[in-house]
Amino acid sequence: AQSVTQLDSQVPVFEEAPVELRCNYSSSVSVYLFWYVQYPNQGLQLLLKYLSGSTLVKGINGFEAEFNKSQTSFHLRKPSVHISDTAEYFCAVSEWGTYKYIFGTGTRLKVLA
Amino acid sequence: EAEVAQSPRYKITEKSQAVAFWCDPISGHATLYWYRQILGQGPELLVQFQDESVVDDSQLPKDRFSAERLKGVDSTLKIQPAELGDSAMYLCASSPSGSGGTGELFFGEGSRLTVL
């Protein structure tokens, strides 16, 4: 069965500093990978997704992620964060050919002034 | 821009009462999901519909939860009776047909349930 692990429950970072949010997955078949962002009391919004091709994926709001098949990772990065990036970030995986999406437990990014 | 509509946004109820949540997905989206998100955790799938058929309800506590999507469009999630541990955000999401799991999920703003 597929699973997603986000080891960091909280990541504090100062404004304009770089950040990396880690995501590792486990699956016996090929997967699609996603990062979503959730602001307080709202639903989730897609940041970016990896389906195939280039392992470096760029998304909205200046975020990017790199798929590493050998390490089964899909870490999210941003070179310079803003206060408005403060939110909860979720990594998700779906197996090829299915419509089933599994989410990690989330990482709370707190950007400090 | 099309959105997934959910209601109510907030619901406070006492334990043992019945609760219902409604979701209207984006027009044309055949796949509809109900997720439960406990505070500080990620969304967990409760039930997945393809049109009006249930595809996966393996994590739905069927002794108290029920879900339906009678005409393959909007959906209702019911809890009866509600328990203290049901306090959570209930998220509805939809996905276009034919995406095979490649497409994004479009989420509603959620229904936050508090059981007293």
Side-chain angles (χ1 to χ4, degrees):
Chain A
Q2 57 191 0
S3 65
V4 179
T5 302
Q6 293 181 251
L7 290 173
D8 304 308
S9 59
Q10 291 191 67
V11 173
V13 62
F14 285 103
E15 194 174 19
E16 297 184 9
V19 70
E20 179 178 83
L21 306 184
R22 297 181 294 168
C23 173
N24 288 87
Y25 69 93
S26 173
S27 177
S28 58
V29 299
S30 296
V31 298
Y32 303 121
L33 296 158
F34 307 82
W35 275 98
Y36 285 82
V37 61
Q38 184 179 35
Y39 299 101
N41 289 315
Q42 292 187 24
L44 281 70
Q45 176 187 2
L46 183 70
L47 276 178
L48 48 80
K49 63 182 177 181
Y50 172 78
L51 303 181
S52 64
S54 173
T55 57
L56 183 63
V57 180
K58 294 189 183 297
I60 63 171
N61 301 340
F63 283 94
E64 63 181 31
E66 186 156 19
F67 170 58
N68 187 318
K69 187 175 183 179
S70 62
Q71 296 187 5
T72 60
S73 67
F74 190 54
H75 300 333
L76 181 70
R77 298 192 293 256
K78 187 170 183 177
S80 176
V81 295
H82 303 289
I83 295 288
S84 59
D85 292 324
T86 294
E88 190 96 20
Y89 291 80
F90 293 94
C91 183
V93 61
S94 75
E95 293 183 343
W96 283 17
T98 76
Y99 290 82
K100 188 169 184 176
Y101 299 78
I102 303 299
F103 288 83
T105 52
T107 297
R108 184 175 298 276
L109 175 63
K110 186 172 177 60
V111 181
L112 309 170
Chain B
E1 182 176 322
E3 295 181 344
V4 176
Q6 286 191 250
S7 67
R9 287 291 316 277
Y10 302 94
K11 178 70 177 179
I12 300 174
T13 190
E14 294 185 346
K15 65 179 182 179
S16 79
Q17 296 298 303
V19 180
F21 304 110
W22 176 79
C23 172
D24 191 13
I26 293 172
S27 178
H29 282 196
T31 312
L32 184 147
Y33 308 78
W34 283 102
Y35 284 90
R36 177 170 60 185
Q37 185 181 21
I38 295 171
L39 194 62
Q41 298 184 21
E44 295 179 316
L45 181 67
L46 289 174
V47 62
Q48 177 184 339
F49 289 93
Q50 182 69 24
D51 298 309
E52 66 275 8
S53 300
V54 173
V55 173
D56 184 352
D57 64 355
S58 57
Q59 300 303 310
L60 187 72
K62 297 182 188 63
D63 57 335
R64 297 185 301 107
F65 286 65
S66 64
E68 61 182 15
R69 192 183 184 199
L70 293 176
K71 296 183 180 179
V73 180
D74 59 338
S75 176
T76 302
L77 178 70
K78 296 179 180 177
I79 309 174
Q80 182 172 19
E83 296 181 352
L84 295 177
D86 296 332
S87 293
M89 175 80 89
Y90 291 83
L91 293 164
C92 179
S94 68
S95 182
S97 341
S99 64
T102 65
E104 66 178 284
L105 294 181
F106 293 82
F107 282 86
E109 292 194 312
S111 295
R112 180 165 294 283
L113 173 65
T114 302
V115 181
L116 303 176

